[in-house]
Amino acid sequence: MAPRFLLALAICKLIITVGLNGEPTELLQLCVGGGRLSMERVDVESASLDFGMMSRAEPLAVYHPSSADDVARLVRAAYESSRGFAVSARGHGHSINGQAQAAGGVVLKMSGAGPAAQSRPAPRVAAEERYVDAWGGELWIDVLRSTLERGLAPKSWTDYLYLSVGGTLSNGGISGQAFNHGPQISNVYELDVVTGKGDIVTCSEEKNSQLFHAVLGGLGQFGIITRARIALEPAPQRVRWIRVLYSNFSSFTRDQEYLTSLHGEPASKKFDYVEGFVIVDEGLINNWRSSFFSPRNPVKISSLGTDGGVLYCLEVTKNYDESKADTVDQEVEYLLKDLDFIPTSVFTTDIPYVDFLDRVHKAESKLRANNLWDVPHPWLNLFVPRSRIADFDRGVFKGILGDKASGPILIYPMNKNKWDQRSSVVTPEEDVFYLVALLRSATVDSSGDASRRLEHLADQNRRILKFCVDEGIEVKQYLPHYSTREEWAGHFGDDKWARFYQNKMEFDPKQILSTGQRIFKPEF
Ligand code: FAD
């Protein structure tokens, strides 16, 4: 027998010995494929934590699959064993609250390098049909690199590309293109999914559509995405990137809503990306996404005059090809001319398209160099109905946050008609809603105590949620985190919860998958 097989066999025996609730035969099957089952400390440790660094749960083992068949073998073993055991797919582990953990079970490591990864299917671009087939654990940066080789790129993005395809499609996947193209889950043609019974099912709008819609935004509850067919468009070469400032919140939101209402216009008459952020403190230079405001491009905030100490920054881009460079100025000017920003506050830069898409990675490198990346992240992401965004501004940006945000605060509107209501994701009732993302880092406070800072920020998050309840602002959490069944049911609302529950019973009846989301509580 080959040494690798013997090693895998030994690991399986170990698992059986320590009692992973599985019957030997099913677990032994795991060793036959190209995957690797590991109980090594380094694997278990890294699967116990995530980007949030706030909750820890150890799996018994980590499985590195080399194919969809490997994934199916693992899930089938869990499903067919007498009591079952948790299996949570983990993409890049960039969740905040342990969503990709599998306490006492097996974490299925879909992303990352290693021998098993070498056999995973590489992204396959169909240039004429304009789609790419990507492995579920593929990082978006690698999807982009592959499609660019054929002059194409996905249409809808997240701000950060070191996230996995399966991870963002299990949530939504949003950035400044969402007003126009919808979230990433609106830009998928087909999926291969391993259900909670261990079946490999191809699904799309036309085929097995119930599973298709359930899985998109489905928080990993109904199956593991092993392949996604993602819509592509011709990749532009360059990006004109503009930021303008506002001291008046209603002017800021009026302009954002105007620009995002242009989604039906021809490309030359709308921006390609519309986002924005709130500046409550610390100046623009300290904001980790603001490398844009370089020393060559200084901002004198004190000279701008703020509304209750708060400034708002609208961020837009226009994509273009070098051959059309002469018209981009006119198009930008046309779009900016009716906006009501502070006239002296126009900041423009021009960079290659890839550099724009990969902009947050630059900030990551800087934070890593200063040991500020691997710290607790008590993030709060909310969808706020448009009709209440001014109340939110008053109560949160100019109220609860005080003068220290501890990280970027993103704010931008999206159009509900770009979100397929058949998917599992939850959005507010109104036609337009805002993403408000409080992306905070709990670094040491003035007394040198990081845990105090974390507690302070977590407390602020609770106060923000309570403020919304008290004021009747019907926000929905994006990347939701709840711990009771009642809270989850409230998050989904009656109809959607009934559908979510029914789908769970159908596609993962033993409640094996993504237990780190804490939606269902299996008895193992
Ligand atoms: P993981 O954390 O590994 O998993 C998340 C959930 O999905 C878990 O429940 C897991 O079990 C499940 N899952 C993972 N892979 C699969 C699969 N193949 N099949 C089924 N279920 C699976 N989000 C945005 O929308 N827009 C942004 O701009 C954005 N920027 C971010 C920037 C940073 C720095 C970070 C840390 C996060 C950001 N996010 C953003 C949030 C991010 O999209 C989600 O946290 C996403 O889940 C991360 O992907 P991941 O691969 O790390 O998923």
Side-chain angles (χ1 to χ4, degrees):
M1 269 194 274
R4 223 175 113 218
F5 180 76
L6 282 175
L7 179 66
L9 200 63
I11 292 168
C12 290
K13 278 189 181 144
L14 184 57
I15 287 183
I16 294 157
T17 318
V18 295
L20 188 61
N21 307 324
E23 282 91 27
T25 42
E26 282 98 36
L27 282 167
L28 283 170
Q29 282 170 15
L30 293 179
C31 313
V32 179
R36 188 172 71 89
L37 192 67
S38 162
M39 295 178 82
E40 286 164 32
R41 202 59 224 152
V42 57
D43 271 331
V44 169
E45 194 52 41
S46 81
S48 306
L49 269 179
D50 59 18
F51 180 80
M53 285 184 70
M54 294 184 298
S55 69
R56 204 192 129 73
E58 270 200 20
L60 191 63
V62 174
Y63 188 57
H64 303 261
S66 69
S67 64
D69 286 336
D70 284 351
V71 174
R73 252 193 297 274
L74 171 69
V75 177
R76 210 171 301 125
Y79 177 66
E80 289 175 356
S81 71
S82 52
R83 284 171 55 206
F85 54 88
V87 176
S88 292
R90 179 181 168 106
H92 211 212
H94 275 45
S95 292
I96 297 300
N97 295 291
Q99 285 93 335
Q101 291 167 354
V106 178
V107 165
L108 185 54
K109 201 151 182 276
M110 297 292 288
S111 305
Q118 283 164 15
S119 325
R120 291 175 194 154
R124 191 183 67 81
V125 178
E128 258 174 40
E129 295 91 339
R130 292 206 179 159
Y131 67 72
V132 56
D133 278 328
W135 167 252
E138 202 72 60
L139 300 188
W140 284 96
I141 181 73
D142 297 320
V143 175
L144 176 63
R145 286 183 184 131
S146 306
T147 61
L148 283 177
E149 285 172 14
R150 308 294 296 274
L152 298 167
K155 298 174 179 177
S156 184
W157 289 101
T158 48
D159 293 346
Y160 177 62
L161 307 188
Y162 291 73
L163 305 169
S164 76
V165 167
T168 71
L169 295 183
S170 296
N171 283 293
I174 49 173
S175 181
Q177 303 84 9
F179 81 94
N180 193 22
H181 291 297
Q184 290 181 321
I185 53 172
S186 298
N187 291 277
V188 175
Y189 296 137
E190 188 179 275
L191 299 171
D192 282 346
V193 171
V194 174
T195 69
K197 298 176 186 170
D199 300 326
I200 304 178
V201 181
T202 299
C203 57
S204 65
E205 283 257 6
E206 291 80 32
K207 198 171 165 189
N208 299 310
S209 60
Q210 185 188 344
L211 180 63
F212 181 69
H213 295 303
V215 165
L216 293 171
L219 307 174
Q221 295 304 301
F222 312 111
I224 292 161
I225 299 167
T226 53
R227 177 184 63 93
R229 179 163 291 180
I230 298 156
L232 301 177
E233 63 181 5
Q237 291 168 330
R238 295 196 67 83
V239 169
R240 182 68 51 86
W241 184 6
I242 301 133
R243 286 175 171 175
V244 294
L245 294 173
Y246 294 76
S247 58
N248 181 288
F249 187 68
S250 59
S251 307
F252 169 69
T253 50
R254 197 180 330 110
D255 285 355
Q256 273 197 327
E257 286 171 27
Y258 162 67
L259 293 174
T260 52
S261 74
L262 300 176
H263 58 90
E265 296 292 319
S268 62
K269 293 204 159 64
K270 62 188 170 194
F271 283 116
D272 293 289
Y273 161 105
V274 178
E275 280 203 13
F277 54 91
V278 182
I279 305 152
V280 299
D281 67 333
E282 299 168 16
L284 290 171
I285 303 293
N286 291 342
N287 182 321
W288 61 260
R289 299 164 82 105
S290 308
S291 51
F292 187 92
F293 297 105
S294 65
R296 281 190 303 123
N297 218 348
V299 187
K300 291 200 181 61
I301 300 181
S302 52
S303 67
L304 296 173
T306 60
D307 177 5
V310 179
L311 271 178
Y312 308 93
C313 180
L314 169 69
E315 178 176 69
V316 289
T317 71
K318 193 94 191 118
N319 300 338
Y320 70 99
D321 286 337
E322 270 144 21
S323 61
K324 303 252 175 67
D326 48 339
T327 56
V328 70
D329 288 329
Q330 285 165 327
E331 290 178 9
V332 168
E333 219 169 281
Y334 166 82
L335 284 163
L336 290 183
K337 76 178 168 16
D338 294 327
L339 306 188
D340 200 13
F341 50 84
I342 300 169
T344 54
S345 71
V346 184
F347 305 92
T348 304
T349 192
D350 198 293
I351 58 174
Y353 184 57
V354 184
D355 292 3
F356 173 72
L357 291 181
D358 201 23
R359 62 202 177 280
V360 175
H361 190 51
K362 259 193 170 174
E364 174 186 353
S365 306
K366 281 190 198 154
L367 289 174
R368 279 191 188 282
N370 291 306
N371 291 326
L372 293 172
W373 186 256
D374 292 324
V375 298
H377 293 103
W379 286 12
L380 182 63
N381 285 270
L382 299 173
F383 289 149
V384 183
R386 164 195 168 175
S387 67
R388 305 302 304 276
I389 194 69
D391 298 320
F392 192 92
D393 170 58
R394 228 169 285 125
V396 178
F397 303 146
K398 296 191 181 109
I400 294 172
L401 290 185
D403 61 358
K404 193 156 170 58
S406 300
I409 306 172
L410 309 187
I411 173 170
Y412 54 91
M414 285 171 285
N415 300 306
K416 193 176 169 92
N417 64 3
K418 300 281 178 180
W419 294 66
D420 192 327
Q421 296 312 308
R422 294 168 297 178
S423 78
S424 292
V425 76
V426 179
T427 59
E429 289 299 321
E430 295 182 10
D431 290 346
V432 172
F433 58 88
Y434 280 78
L435 169 77
V436 175
L438 297 131
L439 309 179
R440 14 238 329 248
S441 300
T443 47
V444 285
D445 72 0
S446 48
S447 68
D449 187 344
S451 59
R452 278 230 322 249
R453 185 87 206 126
L454 175 59
E455 188 38 49
H456 170 71
L457 294 173
D459 182 56
Q460 269 193 349
N461 288 348
R462 284 189 288 271
R463 285 170 56 206
I464 292 168
L465 292 171
K466 182 170 181 319
F467 166 77
C468 293
V469 171
D470 292 349
E471 296 296 313
I473 305 176
E474 294 187 355
V475 298
K476 292 292 177 189
Q477 283 190 34
Y478 176 57
L479 316 171
H481 170 56
Y482 294 106
S483 40
T484 68
R485 179 68 72 90
E486 291 67 36
E487 287 172 325
W488 278 110
H491 169 74
F492 284 101
D494 290 346
D495 291 351
K496 208 145 193 174
W497 174 246
R499 186 154 33 108
F500 199 86
Y501 185 84
Q502 193 190 336
N503 283 333
K504 185 72 174 176
M505 294 309 120
E506 184 159 348
F507 299 119
D508 180 22
K510 282 204 177 169
Q511 307 177 14
I512 290 162
L513 300 177
S514 275
T515 52
Q517 295 277 4
R518 298 178 179 82
I519 306 174
F520 299 94
K521 297 211 167 52
E523 289 169 9
F524 46 72

